[in-house]
Amino acid sequence: MSVLSLADVYRARRRIAGRVCHTPLIESQSLSEKAGTAVFLKLETVQPTGSFKLRGATNALARLAEQGCRKVVTASTGNHGRAVAHAARALGIEATVCMSALVPANKVQAVRALGAQARIVGKSQDEAEHEALRLVPEEGFAYVPPFDDLHVIAGQATIGLEIVEALPDVANIVVPLSGGGLFAGIAFAAKSANRAIGLIGVTMARGAAMHASLAAGQPVLVEEFETLADSLGGGIGLENRYTYALTRDLIDDTVLLSEASIARGIAHAYRHERLVVEGAAAVGIAALLDGVLPAERIKRGPLVLVVTGANIDMDLHRQIVDTASPQADSHTIL
């Protein structure tokens, strides 16, 4: 029996209503032509904080506010911290966000601009998390995990509800894979509607903690590297309570991508979809362009790529668009 229930997801949807966008699901002509099947983009890029993370953070903080909480701390690779800062400001809660030195400066600045305190600690997500957890007993904070929390997962699961309601015949959903909060939530909601829906996780080749943990059969530590998909960095926690098991039980395939592939995905999104996306958001597009999504699954019917965020440094984005090879844009995949 799952630790998460559909009732949890529907409660999350009611709790975040009016605070979070119901995001568009649009068909991509260019990607549909390449895949030989209808390809849709779920655009979490339009959220007020530019990322899906606002869903889980808002659900978790709104619940804490109901309990009288007035001070929270979290660890983040950037987008979760921004979401916590946004939700905290709206709810009148004090927020502190711990981040590593690998978090891009634009994401740190965005957290501070929303009124939260940003603490830069160490060179990995794990070090930032240790600092956040230290503050819980020492300074009386409530901790808001970036992914391994049922209320965060339930908030992200509302994306899955929106997908299956808008596209009941969806055959496959491609989800960026990191700590597993997004993947577990979407997969749970989608497979609760139709167990036959395929769930494919996509991540970068270097430092992919959930992929390594699934291969090992248990949560493991991985070295964290700089990557264009910076939002997918960090460990899943050796004491992972929820997202590892949920992801293990619900995932159908995992795909790893090179940095060059991620860059091509970012460039394609801009050139062909008129979308500015960060590296983590481009991995589904990149996997489709590279032809590495399982062909037997793709041929089954409509495919949804979850486009998770737009929070890329614009100087870096310009450089990628100017230099990324368009070679992957020029061939048919299937």
Side-chain angles (χ1 to χ4, degrees):
M1 182 176 180
S2 175
V3 294
L4 187 67
S5 71
L6 273 178
D8 295 325
V9 181
Y10 282 105
R11 275 193 293 270
R13 178 150 76 172
R14 290 192 297 271
R15 192 177 280 127
I16 68 177
R19 303 180 186 274
V20 172
C21 293
H22 185 300
T23 56
L25 184 69
I26 63 169
E27 185 169 3
S28 166
Q29 181 178 350
S30 67
L31 296 175
S32 296
E33 289 175 354
K34 291 180 182 298
T37 192
V39 177
F40 294 82
L41 305 177
K42 180 62 169 168
L43 299 181
E44 288 298 300
T45 52
V46 304
Q47 293 292 357
T49 59
S51 165
F52 78 94
K53 286 285 192 177
L54 189 59
R55 294 176 184 261
T58 299
N59 187 47
L61 265 73
R63 179 178 173 275
L64 287 170
E66 292 166 2
Q67 299 173 342
C69 174
R70 289 272 120 347
K71 188 163 66 171
V72 299
V73 65
T74 192
S76 174
T77 55
N79 285 335
H80 174 67
R82 187 172 183 173
V84 166
H86 183 280
R89 186 169 72 171
L91 292 163
I93 296 174
E94 177 187 336
T96 295
V97 180
C98 299
M99 294 173 281
S100 82
L102 291 179
V103 175
N106 67 301
K107 294 187 175 182
V108 176
Q109 292 164 2
V111 167
R112 289 176 172 149
L114 287 166
Q117 180 183 1
R119 296 193 183 189
I120 308 304
V121 183
K123 296 182 178 181
S124 73
Q125 169 75 355
D126 288 341
E127 290 177 276
E129 183 179 38
H130 290 155
E131 172 65 9
L133 292 174
R134 182 187 68 79
L135 294 175
V136 173
E138 289 191 12
E139 299 190 24
F141 286 90
Y143 182 57
V144 182
F147 53 86
D148 195 29
D149 176 87
L150 290 179
H151 303 291
V152 171
I153 298 168
Q156 322 305 23
T158 60
I159 300 171
L161 289 184
E162 291 177 14
I163 291 172
V164 297
E165 289 170 353
L167 191 67
D169 63 339
V170 59
N172 295 281
I173 304 174
V174 177
V175 185
L177 182 64
S178 180
L182 176 68
F183 187 92
I186 291 177
F188 178 82
K191 287 187 178 286
S192 294
N194 179 358
R195 186 72 192 183
I197 296 174
L199 269 296
I200 304 166
V202 185
T203 191
M204 67 283 184
R206 299 197 311 160
M210 183 61 80
H211 173 77
S213 297
L214 293 171
Q218 63 184 13
V220 296
L221 294 174
V222 298
E223 185 177 356
E224 192 171 341
F225 297 94
E226 288 192 52
T227 172
L228 287 175
D230 54 89
S231 295
L232 302 184
I236 69 167
L238 294 180
E239 303 300 322
N240 187 286
R241 297 174 297 166
Y242 308 115
T243 60
Y244 169 76
L246 284 166
T247 300
R248 177 197 62 202
D249 295 344
L250 296 171
I251 199 165
D252 293 295
D253 290 284
T254 307
V255 173
L256 299 179
L257 296 175
S258 70
E259 295 298 298
S261 293
I262 297 169
R264 286 193 293 271
I266 293 170
H268 180 96
Y270 185 74
R271 293 169 180 155
H272 296 272
E273 312 300 336
R274 299 299 184 263
L275 295 172
V276 172
V277 302
E278 59 187 276
V283 295
I285 294 172
L288 194 151
L289 292 174
D290 277 5
V292 293
L293 296 177
E296 68 280 4
R297 290 194 179 280
I298 304 308
K299 293 177 181 177
R300 293 179 186 174
L303 171 71
V304 171
L305 309 179
V306 181
V307 183
T308 50
N311 297 325
I312 187 171
D313 177 85
M314 291 309 298
D315 289 335
L316 174 62
H317 184 270
R318 188 179 303 110
Q319 178 184 351
I320 291 169
V321 170
D322 288 345
T323 60
S325 169
Q327 179 179 4
D329 294 356
S330 64
H331 66 277
T332 300
I333 292 171
L334 300 179

